[in-house]
Amino acid sequence: MAGYLGTYEEPSDLTLQQERHYHLLSELQSLVKDLPSSSQQRLSYTTLSDLALALIDGTVFEIVQGLLDIQHLTEKNLYNQRVKLHAEHRALKQDLLKKHKEALQSCKAHNLPVLRSSQQKELEVLEQRIREEQRMMDEKIVLELDQKVIDQQNTLEKAGVSGFYITTNPQVCVLF
């Protein structure tokens, strides 16, 4: 029987792998102690042991790093889109205020109340448009980040990482 051990793994490799497993399991157990008790209850010894086994060869680390890189790029892109929208809104408002100032300078005194009322309505319409576009952008950002979480869950589930599955339940949903 001893002759067959070399076919799969050498005894020293098995010992090292087992030591690594126990070390990772111990680390995971230590991390779990810092979680709220409701989360601790969902992470059984078996789940933690399975996670430790999945971490041993480094593949899961590479997968998680790739997912993290994708998430960071997505977040940066979404942030830049939001900053660009904010700059466009600021420019629109500045242009409108400049136009209003020029109109006020060339306006006859008897038309000032009508002009100011008209300008106030125009400004309110622009501000409402800005709020609506910002709300729509924020919703788009949240939906895109939610989709990234689903993609991460799906990838880790397909990689066979214990405890990962697609869910939109915020009580069990975890972002990196």
Side-chain angles (χ1 to χ4, degrees):
M1 190 74 160
Y4 293 111
L5 282 176
T7 307
Y8 298 105
E9 291 189 46
E10 295 296 322
S12 62
D13 290 343
L14 288 173
T15 303
L16 287 174
Q17 185 175 356
Q18 190 173 27
E19 287 175 10
R20 179 93 171 117
H21 175 254
Y22 287 138
H23 173 73
L24 289 169
L25 179 57
S26 174
E27 291 291 321
L28 288 171
Q29 287 172 322
S30 176
L31 290 172
V32 167
K33 288 178 185 174
D34 296 335
L35 295 174
S37 62
S38 60
S39 297
Q40 288 181 21
Q41 293 171 357
R42 290 196 313 259
L43 295 169
S44 68
Y45 177 86
T46 304
T47 301
L48 293 177
S49 180
D50 290 347
L51 285 171
L53 284 173
L55 294 172
I56 287 177
D57 73 355
T59 304
V60 173
F61 284 117
E62 291 175 22
I63 291 170
V64 170
Q65 187 59 53
L67 293 172
L68 192 57
D69 291 345
I70 291 168
Q71 180 178 328
H72 287 162
L73 288 173
T74 300
E75 290 170 350
K76 184 176 181 180
N77 181 36
L78 292 170
Y79 174 77
N80 289 336
Q81 287 177 31
R82 194 171 195 279
V83 167
K84 180 181 175 189
L85 182 66
H86 182 69
E88 289 170 4
H89 288 159
R90 190 174 51 245
L92 281 172
K93 193 170 181 179
Q94 287 174 349
D95 289 346
L96 183 63
L97 293 174
K98 181 180 176 186
K99 179 181 136 191
H100 285 180
K101 184 178 179 182
E102 290 170 357
L104 283 171
Q105 290 174 347
S106 64
C107 183
K108 305 285 186 206
H110 66 280
N111 289 332
L112 273 177
V114 173
L115 180 62
R116 284 190 175 135
S117 175
S118 172
Q119 287 179 339
Q120 182 61 33
K121 288 179 184 173
E122 194 176 10
L123 184 59
E124 288 171 2
V125 166
L126 178 63
E127 288 175 344
Q128 177 60 34
R129 176 182 152 203
I130 288 171
R131 281 191 301 273
E132 182 63 20
E133 287 179 4
Q134 189 64 58
R135 184 190 61 75
M136 289 171 40
M137 172 62 81
D138 290 345
E139 286 179 6
K140 175 189 174 247
I141 289 170
V142 168
L143 290 173
E144 196 160 333
L145 291 174
D146 284 349
Q147 184 59 50
K148 285 295 164 211
V149 171
I150 289 169
D151 293 346
Q152 292 169 347
Q153 293 168 340
N154 186 40
T155 300
L156 292 170
E157 180 182 28
K158 285 182 178 177
V161 179
S162 181
F164 279 88
Y165 54 92
I166 295 174
T167 180
T168 55
N169 181 344
Q171 299 300 318
V172 295
C173 187
V174 178
L175 268 174
F176 292 131

